[in-house]
Amino acid sequence: GKDGKGKDGKGEKGKGKGDRDDSKTVCVRGISWSVDEATFKKDFEECGETDRINLLKNEEGGIRGIAFVSYKTEEGVKKALEFNETDYGGRTIYVSMAGEG
């Protein structure tokens, strides 16, 4: 599927250009449920121009604490990764490349 679940053998780092390029997508974990979606987007857009920000929600529409942010540049990715293990909204967030771990 398009939601990044399951390793179907595609995507040897950078090969096989689909419409989604994980090489410029970061996964953010540990987001506090009290964080406002608009604030989150604004903060991560400050790292660089984004293609897409997908804040995962539960059935009730609440934040599940995980988000995927796709950047248009490597620079944006680098800046976003600097947020790894920093305090955000009162909780430590973890930022890593999507498709890793």
Side-chain angles (χ1 to χ4, degrees):
K2 274 269 172 283
D3 55 6
K5 288 192 189 64
K7 296 263 180 280
D8 49 0
K10 289 202 291 294
E12 297 271 277
K13 273 271 177 281
K15 290 192 201 61
K17 286 271 174 274
D19 53 2
R20 202 163 130 246
D21 185 1
D22 273 351
S23 73
K24 292 195 188 75
T25 304
V26 298
C27 174
V28 186
R29 292 189 302 274
I31 304 158
S32 167
W33 47 263
S34 63
V35 167
D36 175 62
E37 184 168 359
T39 305
F40 178 86
K41 289 186 170 178
K42 185 174 76 65
D43 290 339
F44 277 82
E45 279 166 354
E46 279 174 15
C47 296
E49 202 182 345
T50 58
D51 243 351
R52 211 174 56 128
I53 297 180
N54 184 13
L55 206 51
L56 303 187
K57 304 234 173 68
N58 60 25
E59 290 72 48
E60 291 82 54
I63 290 174
R64 276 178 45 196
I66 299 177
F68 290 94
V69 185
S70 301
Y71 287 97
K72 295 191 175 171
T73 63
E74 297 286 340
E75 193 57 37
V77 171
K78 283 201 190 84
K79 286 193 175 153
L81 290 171
E82 286 170 16
F83 279 105
N84 185 41
E85 293 186 16
T86 59
D87 180 88
Y88 185 79
R91 289 186 56 181
T92 301
I93 57 167
Y94 300 92
V95 186
S96 60
M97 294 303 296
E100 281 178 17

